[in-house]
Amino acid sequence: MSEQWTVSAPQKLTIDGEVTRLRVRTIAGAVNVVAADGPARIEVTELEGPPLTVTLVDGELTVTYDDLTWKDFSWKSLLPFLRKWSEHARRRAVVSLTVPAGAKVELGSASSDTVISGITAPVTVHSASGSTTLVGLSGKVEANTASGSVQAQGVSGDLRVNTVSGELTVFEGTGGSIKANSVSGAVTVDLAQDNTIDVNLTNVSGEVAVRIPAPSDAKVHANTTSGSVSSAFDELHVGGSWGAKQLTGTLGKGTGKLKITTVSGSVALLRRPAPEDDAAPLALDFNKEDQA
């Protein structure tokens, strides 16, 4: 089964065929993807520049410009890609899509802001500078960005994030592993109660803060070459020499693992309030008494 539409102005489309995979490629604007029952739907509310092409082939729904390829959105191509398209005529599209929760989602953009919610299948996002918001996803998630921020809330699948200078913030991490690599963007992770901890964070100069529920079970190993270290847990100990510091120890039975590595970025481990306590805001705090 194959269908094709050309969208040259704001328009709504209903896709009658089955959608098992969604692929979107844009330059600027916004892309919103929501899981919903019923047929897939597309609404383009703003469009500036050349038309978008929409195709449905064997369950794969694609929304793109004809002259964009997936190769443009590879992790190593993001910055050259952004420079390339910043020199071209302005392109902007605001696109909202509803697809089945089980549809695999792949999005690529130069600077479009992206929101994805409710998807249970794997999700991949490649962005040069647009923000990425992930809500209530339960499949494997991968997000790569040069300077855009990434916010994940209630993501229960494995989460992988690569960023150069964009910030990563995880709220209510509810399961699965979290792995993030950053150069200078701050990394803030809030872990929900009653979940196995499997976190590996690497940063060069950005700050790293992790809020851990108490009680928790995890082996902790955090080290920084020249940054400061702070901890709200008496079970963890600060050591090191020649400016380098390590924060190590075991929380509870040590069934999970938390590893943090930075060069000059500060590291803070915060205690998450008990469920019966009033929710406290998640914030970076590198001035605890335990700081060394």
Side-chain angles (χ1 to χ4, degrees), residues 25-217:
R25 302 190 291 265
T26 59
I27 299 298
V31 178
N32 304 304
V33 179
V34 179
D37 296 330
R41 296 183 295 276
I42 303 172
E43 181 176 6
V44 179
T45 54
E46 298 179 33
L47 185 62
E48 182 177 349
L52 291 168
T53 298
V54 179
T55 58
L56 177 66
V57 179
D58 297 331
E60 180 174 298
L61 179 63
T62 302
V63 181
T64 186
Y65 296 104
D66 288 339
D67 54 357
L68 289 185
T69 67
W70 288 113
K71 184 179 178 181
D72 293 321
F73 299 99
S74 68
W75 172 231
K76 294 182 179 180
S77 301
L78 286 177
L79 286 176
F81 170 73
L82 181 59
R83 287 193 293 268
K84 169 186 173 182
W85 286 102
S86 65
E87 299 171 356
H88 286 61
R90 179 174 175 83
R91 299 187 184 194
R92 188 173 188 277
V94 177
V95 185
S96 297
L97 306 102
T98 59
V99 295
K104 184 177 181 179
V105 176
E106 299 176 11
L107 304 185
S109 77
S111 59
S112 298
D113 294 330
T114 299
V115 179
I116 306 173
S117 63
I119 300 297
T120 59
V123 170
T124 303
V125 181
H126 295 271
S127 173
S129 62
S131 65
T132 300
T133 303
L134 311 167
V135 182
L137 307 182
S138 56
K140 182 180 179 180
V141 179
E142 179 181 351
N144 298 309
T145 180
S147 60
S149 63
V150 178
Q151 292 192 354
Q153 181 172 3
V155 172
S156 58
D158 292 345
L159 176 63
R160 302 287 182 270
V161 178
N162 293 299
T163 174
V164 178
S165 59
E167 296 184 355
L168 166 64
T169 306
V170 178
F171 298 101
E172 292 280 345
T174 58
S177 63
I178 299 173
K179 183 176 182 179
N181 296 289
S182 177
V183 177
S184 60
V187 176
T188 308
V189 175
D190 172 44
L191 300 175
Q193 201 81 25
D194 300 327
N195 285 285
T196 300
I197 296 175
D198 186 1
V199 179
N200 190 336
L201 309 175
T202 303
N203 210 332
V204 177
S205 60
E207 300 169 338
V208 176
V210 180
R211 189 163 74 167
I212 306 171
S216 285
D217 296 321

